[in-house]
Each structure stands twice: as structure tokens, then as C-alpha cells.
Amino acid sequence: MGPSDSTVSAETPPYLNIDRENHPAVLCGQRSREAVAARDKQAWLASFAADGSVEDPVGPSMFDEEGVGHRGAEQLSAFWDKTIGTTERIDFVFDKEIICGDEVAYIGKIVTHIAGYVTEADGVFTYKADGNGDLLALRAFWEVEATMQSLRPA
């Protein structure tokens, strides 16, 4: 029996046939970014699972001194108010999409417009969906110091 004669499974596993347009993590990430673009806090909060969390950036920062992230509706709402809500606009510029299991990672940058200035956060940005297609975890890997150094007039 040669290689072409071997038995092939009738069903291709999902990791070999990724549906990029309908993947749950891709969709919940899109909903999150669309709510940010629309400046719609309630839609952004609604994109999360009840126990959803944000680590943006991952680790200690001026937004999260302990580096434990923000979990649940109350903490997510406070995160919006002190971060997204203070901006004029946030642009998501992703160069690469990598889908694994129930998560998607984007490599690129987030461009933040605030008070007449712009910063660029180069990084890896991940979205994890739960079994209902809601956003379970949003994690952003970017360096605070490098992003602060990118500050320039708009």
C-alpha cells in the first residue's frame, strides 16, 4: 500500500480546516473592537462572558499596579473608564492572525489617539472565546515604556 492508498479520515479535524471568518474567538474579538471603534461601552461589556477578563497590558502597569487583570463586569467597566473611555480613537492594525483552539492571537499594533497625541503599542493581542462564543479573556502583550516613547503629536 502506497501513501496515496492509505485510509484518510472522512472528517478533517478543525485544526486542519480553520474557519477564519466564523471562529468564535475571531468573532468575539471583532465585536470587542467594533464596540471600541463605536465608543459603545455597553456593547463592549456585553461582548464578555460573565467571568471575562482583560489584561491590557499583561503584568503590572499604570492601569493594573498588581498585574492581576480586570475580571467581571464591575472591573471591566472601571477599566473602560480609565483607558478606552479617555481616548479619542483607537485603531487596531493587525498584520498577522494566528488561530489555535478557542483563541486567536494578532500580531501588530494598537494606535491610540488621546488629547491631540498618538501612541503606538506594538505587540501580540489575544482573544479567547468561551463555549457560548463570548469573550472569556482579552490579553495584550505590549511594553509600556516603548509605547510611552512613541508618543507624538497627532
Side-chain angles (χ1 to χ4, degrees), residues 11-145:
E11 191 173 315
T12 304
Y15 55 84
L16 294 179
N17 189 26
I18 297 171
D19 182 354
R20 294 188 172 281
E21 292 182 16
N22 297 302
H23 189 278
V26 170
L27 294 176
C28 65
Q30 284 175 346
R31 284 192 305 273
S32 170
R33 292 188 303 278
E34 287 169 357
V36 168
R39 318 294 299 155
D40 187 339
K41 179 181 176 180
Q42 293 312 312
W44 185 76
L45 292 170
S47 70
F48 284 88
D51 59 345
S53 67
V54 169
E55 294 175 70
D56 184 356
V58 170
S61 74
M62 62 283 207
F63 306 127
D64 179 12
E65 293 292 333
E66 295 179 23
V68 296
H70 313 270
R71 181 174 304 279
E74 187 175 313
Q75 289 183 12
L76 292 174
S77 178
F79 174 81
W80 173 286
D81 291 342
K82 68 180 161 184
T83 59
I84 301 163
T86 65
T87 67
E88 296 162 0
R89 188 175 89 225
I90 298 176
D91 300 321
F92 301 90
V93 184
F94 297 147
D95 301 318
K96 182 131 178 100
E97 175 185 82
I98 303 166
I99 298 172
C100 296
D102 57 2
E103 298 189 57
V104 60
Y106 294 100
I107 300 171
K109 64 184 171 184
I110 293 179
V111 181
T112 303
H113 302 258
I114 184 168
Y117 289 87
V118 176
T119 61
E120 293 186 12
D122 293 316
V124 177
F125 309 92
T126 67
Y127 300 84
K128 180 175 185 173
D130 71 3
N132 297 317
D134 293 324
L135 187 51
L136 186 59
L138 187 164
R139 301 181 78 212
F141 297 81
W142 55 275
E143 295 178 4
V144 172
E145 184 176 14

